[in-house]
Amino acid sequence: MGLTLCEKIIKNHLVDGEYAPGNEVGIRIDQTLTQDATGTMAYLELEAMDIDKVKTELSVAYIDHNTLQTGFENADDHRFIQSVCKKRGVRYSRPGNGICHQVHLERFGIPGKTLIGSDSHTPTGGGLGMLAMGAGGLDVAVAMGGGAYYITVPEVIKVNLTGKLSPYVAAKDIILEVLRILSVKGGVGKVIEYGGEGVKTLSVPERATITNMGAELGATTSVFPSDEITYEFMKAQSREQDWVELLPDEDAEYSRVIDIDLCKLAPLAAMPHMPDNVKSVAEIGEIKVDQVLIGSCTNSSLLDMMKVAKILKGKKVHPSVSLGIAPGSKQVLNMLALNGALADMIDAGARILESACGPCIGMGQSPCSAGVSLRTFNRNFEGRSGTADGKVYLVSPETAAVSALTGVLTDATKSTDDISVELPAKFIINDNMIEMPAATPEEAAEVEVYYGPNIKPFPKTEPLADSISATAVLKVADNITTDHIMPAGAKILPYRSNIPHLSQFCFRQCDENFAEHCKEAGSCIIIGGNNYGQGSSREHAALVPLYLGVKAVITKSFARIHKANLVNASILPLNFVNADDYDKISVGDKLILPKIKEELRSGADITLVNETKNEEYKLICDVSERQIDILTAGGLLDYTKEENK
Ligand code: MIC
Ligand code: SF4
């Protein structure tokens, strides 16, 4: 039997375990990336591991999330990251250089290599044929230290593309269609591989839009083959020497094949408040639009921006719409400035935003009360925009730009203007906003790591106790996101290195007094439904509950990265054997795990006693032997220190 792309890359990097779907394997990581909102914690963890110099082929730290700088906190944290990078061998991408995934695709991604990043949209690199995955900050720190990254060998699904997109139908519509078919939990435990003749009609930036938003499927990652189109892109970035061809074997077998005929696709939109709540723009109808935002790591490439500029050229943004545009990188912005497209956008009435995450993570540009906001982003979770009753629709740049002119959600395929764009044969290459680390050990030794007053210590962990008594402090429904657990936005994001301060905002959307309830209970358990912890990779969604005394989270099922983050933080991720038991537990119930340590070790079902209701339930802890060791040791940091002794 032939090999899939995913299997080829994993097998090439295997350092621990055996390749068989469902098995946990350790793989060697060639490259890492961090961004600033998760990076402060990741570099604090790296510092705690006491590693002189990172051992990866390439590690890059990007500053792109926390660029609003409403107080000293962000700038201090940036200085902290910058100083660690200089000392420990990490390249530092300064604020203004662009969004991590866009810049990494342009300047660093290499087909066939492994990449993990402390951001859930790291799979963007799959557009170049990398195996690129989102991970918790601590996992990234371990990989920088030369440690393996552990994943469950995924099932591989093939999305077979045929035909060619019609004008005004975009790569974004392809991934929205996949989300419609598979849903936000359809990708858990899976890798999505794109193939078929239709692949040849898609450029690297288009492929990257698709792999980027594959994160919303809950998939481990998504990947495209590396072919002559990949070669052309890398050549245009003056990196053709790094190109390798990477194709799946012709007789590779997939667990499922999904066929999509690109000719038949129409413009789609994900309606509030989930990325899989997809309908066609025509079906939704011409709803009035208050705001349009174009950018984010999903849709901010030169290709996207040029199409938008062509649509806006010589026209005027509708008076009731605020149009914001954030080109994804310095390279993109620079090229738009030089070829005149930026002037076309400004002329039409667009507000040009910094090349950063910005409104995608609630850092400014919140819509008006109950406002309708069309965004080319990847997430429309309730409240993420910063306006609690804002209604965010996720659309392609084409749909966004055309709707910004008409003032209503518009099916752009009615337009007849030619907006076809050719990618340049050469991009402008200027890496002067990427700082290189110290060149020699002597130079590195002289660098002092800067700690601003916003940096507070990592929450304390303890080795696993024989038994646990706790109160059920919160019960939540299916598809709870890490934005529910640990919200972001302009008021909160500056405190990503200050867990005590962050704790007051934990689960605010579900229980305004969650932090107080935890403090009263002392020892806490959270009860959740299916796909608990989907969305962002932020390990703060585990570290803050840890700080608040959460010992275990019991759910029907977990999202991949969050489950790993819980284990790394020494919080037990437990599942009901009988899903109906979820209904039997109420907030306030006194719960006991009387033999947790022994049962975890022996692999037996885990007993949960509900003292309040006088009932007993069975749970499982579906983790690997290695993860049992991590949980027993009191988390990955302690475990790694022990291993390195
Ligand atoms: C996001 O899109 O939610 C983020 C902000 O990029 C997160 C990371 C974070 O919370 O810092 C992600 O996707 O992992
Ligand atoms: Fe930044 Fe938004 Fe992309 Fe997250 S999804 S990395 S916040 S642009």
Side-chain angles (χ1 to χ4, degrees):
M1 193 181 81
L3 303 183
T4 62
L5 280 175
C6 162
E7 201 171 344
K8 284 188 181 180
I9 305 179
I10 293 182
K11 284 190 167 161
N12 252 331
H13 289 82
L14 203 63
V15 290
D16 193 8
E18 209 180 300
Y19 189 100
N23 266 8
E24 191 188 61
V25 289
I27 56 173
R28 193 181 64 251
I29 295 301
D30 303 319
Q31 299 189 347
T32 64
L33 70 79
T34 55
Q35 37 92 333
D36 49 342
T38 53
T40 35
M41 224 12 110
Y43 293 108
L44 280 170
E45 288 152 351
L46 185 71
E47 286 299 284
M49 282 178 213
D50 217 7
I51 289 152
D52 282 348
K53 190 165 185 279
V54 296
K55 300 192 170 69
T56 44
E57 290 173 12
L58 174 90
S59 287
V60 191
Y62 295 91
I63 307 294
D64 53 1
H65 283 61
N66 264 325
T67 56
L68 208 53
Q69 301 175 216
T70 47
F72 65 90
E73 292 86 358
N74 294 162
D76 276 10
D77 284 0
H78 298 166
R79 274 182 73 187
F80 162 72
I81 295 176
Q82 189 175 20
S83 60
V84 178
C85 288
K86 188 116 212 143
K87 198 172 181 69
R88 311 270 176 220
V90 178
R91 293 188 203 191
Y92 176 77
S93 171
R94 296 173 55 191
N97 196 42
I99 305 174
C100 53
H101 309 303
Q102 177 63 28
V103 179
H104 207 85
L105 192 81
E106 291 166 357
R107 306 302 307 134
F108 299 116
I110 299 178
K113 297 276 181 189
T114 52
L115 163 72
I116 64 168
S118 60
D119 191 282
S120 63
H121 292 103
T122 305
T124 313
L128 275 176
M130 305 187 86
L131 194 79
M133 293 162 288
L138 191 44
D139 281 320
V140 176
V142 168
M144 285 193 271
Y149 178 55
Y150 285 84
I151 53 167
T152 306
V153 175
E155 262 179 50
V156 186
I157 295 186
K158 178 174 180 181
V159 176
N160 187 43
L161 303 176
T162 52
K164 188 175 184 314
L165 291 171
S166 317
Y168 291 92
V169 185
K172 182 63 156 274
D173 299 308
I174 303 178
I175 185 61
L176 287 172
E177 173 68 1
V178 178
L179 271 155
R180 195 186 61 75
I181 297 168
L182 284 177
S183 89
V184 290
K185 47 182 184 295
V188 178
K190 302 183 175 79
V191 163
I192 318 291
E193 229 172 87
Y194 289 82
E197 283 302 297
V199 162
K200 298 198 183 117
T201 68
L202 298 172
S203 64
V204 167
E206 290 174 295
R207 295 174 183 186
T209 292
I210 295 169
T211 55
N212 169 286
M213 205 171 167
E216 273 50 69
L217 298 162
T220 304
T221 190
S222 305
V223 59
F224 272 83
S226 166
D227 54 12
E228 55 290 359
I229 290 168
T230 322
Y231 175 79
E232 288 306 325
F233 177 82
M234 293 187 71
K235 191 165 161 227
Q237 291 285 352
S238 297
R239 301 200 296 115
E240 65 272 31
Q241 72 283 359
D242 285 338
W243 178 80
V244 287
E245 185 174 59
L246 191 69
L247 307 171
D249 291 336
E250 280 192 8
D251 54 346
E253 275 186 24
Y254 297 89
S255 67
R256 177 176 171 191
V257 178
I258 296 171
D259 289 301
I260 297 181
D261 180 353
L262 300 181
C263 310
K264 292 204 180 124
L265 271 190
L268 300 172
M271 302 188 298
H273 299 285
M274 273 295 149
D276 62 356
N277 191 11
V278 175
K279 272 196 188 164
S280 75
V281 166
E283 253 177 297
I284 300 168
E286 296 191 338
I287 52 169
K288 187 180 166 304
V289 171
D290 301 290
Q291 181 189 53
V292 175
L293 291 172
I294 300 176
S296 92
C297 56
T298 320
N299 279 119
S300 60
S301 66
L302 183 68
L303 184 80
D304 288 328
M305 294 293 149
M306 288 305 297
K307 290 198 169 178
V308 168
K310 282 199 166 191
I311 293 170
L312 297 179
K313 190 178 169 90
K315 310 250 171 57
K316 184 171 168 251
V317 172
H318 192 276
S320 64
V321 174
S322 169
L323 169 65
I325 302 180
S329 67
K330 175 188 176 212
Q331 183 183 73
V332 174
L333 184 57
N334 210 351
M335 292 185 75
L336 293 175
L338 288 167
N339 72 14
L342 189 63
D344 294 335
M345 293 171 168
I346 296 170
D347 229 33
R351 302 166 66 179
I352 305 302
L353 310 177
E354 188 180 16
S355 292
C357 299
C360 178
I361 192 59
M363 298 297 268
Q365 301 288 323
S366 301
C368 60
S369 293
V372 169
S373 178
L374 299 191
R375 300 177 166 209
T376 65
F377 307 169
N378 47 37
R379 291 190 172 141
N380 58 348
F381 302 146
E382 198 168 4
R384 183 172 157 112
S385 67
T387 300
D389 58 0
K391 299 187 197 69
V392 176
Y393 290 71
L394 306 174
V395 296
S396 69
E398 288 85 332
T399 302
V402 171
S403 304
L405 297 175
T406 59
V408 293
L409 178 65
T410 303
D411 181 348
T413 54
K414 290 187 194 135
S415 314
T416 49
D417 296 345
D418 179 16
I419 54 158
S420 49
V421 172
E422 287 278 316
L423 277 179
K426 271 273 171 258
F427 288 92
I428 296 173
I429 314 290
N430 181 354
D431 291 330
N432 66 357
M433 286 182 85
I434 295 178
E435 250 176 57
M436 295 303 279
T440 61
E442 294 72 39
E443 203 190 308
E446 296 213 333
V447 179
E448 241 183 79
V449 173
Y450 172 82
Y451 291 91
N454 188 38
I455 293 184
K456 296 283 182 276
F458 194 80
K460 278 211 181 76
T461 53
E462 280 164 15
L464 184 66
D466 294 332
S467 70
I468 292 174
S469 299
T471 307
V473 281
L474 181 74
K475 185 171 173 180
V476 287
D478 290 351
N479 292 330
I480 282 295
T481 71
T482 46
D483 278 76
H484 288 102
I485 307 172
M486 197 52 252
K491 296 193 188 84
I492 309 177
L493 214 54
Y495 297 97
R496 280 290 183 87
S497 54
N498 185 343
I499 300 288
H501 184 85
L502 279 184
S503 68
Q504 18 170 345
F505 304 98
C506 188
F507 269 121
R508 268 249 175 116
Q509 216 178 316
C510 305
D511 171 4
E512 235 181 273
N513 300 314
F514 178 75
E516 281 78 62
H517 291 150
C518 287
K519 279 180 204 145
E520 277 158 29
S523 171
C524 320
I525 287 180
I526 294 170
I527 309 295
N530 272 310
N531 199 25
Y532 177 92
Q534 68 158 324
S536 149
S537 67
R538 58 190 74 151
E539 61 187 329
H540 304 78
L543 295 176
V544 172
L546 168 72
Y547 173 81
L548 289 171
V550 174
K551 308 284 183 220
V553 182
I554 308 174
T555 69
K556 294 181 187 170
S557 69
F558 287 98
R560 179 185 75 91
I561 306 176
H562 185 60
K563 182 173 169 184
N565 284 340
L566 287 174
V567 172
N568 291 351
S570 76
I571 297 177
L572 292 156
L574 303 170
N575 295 124
F576 294 103
V577 168
N578 180 354
D580 295 342
D581 290 340
Y582 167 89
D583 300 317
K584 299 183 185 152
I585 303 178
S586 316
V587 171
D589 284 359
K590 294 271 170 267
L591 305 175
I592 305 173
L593 295 158
K595 291 178 281 189
I596 181 66
K597 196 163 167 183
E598 180 192 325
E599 288 170 340
L600 193 62
R601 276 261 156 254
S602 68
D605 279 353
I606 292 181
T607 316
L608 177 70
V609 176
N610 187 336
E611 219 181 26
T612 310
K613 304 250 166 74
N614 204 10
E615 288 172 349
E616 200 175 295
Y617 324 109
K618 287 285 167 215
L619 308 173
I620 47 166
C621 188
D622 184 15
V623 296
S624 67
E625 284 296 321
R626 184 190 62 94
Q627 288 179 311
I628 292 175
D629 291 341
I630 294 173
L631 285 165
T632 317
L636 184 58
L637 206 51
D638 291 326
Y639 170 85
T640 309
K641 278 192 205 151
E642 223 19 70
E643 292 272 290
N644 288 348
K645 260 187 195 161

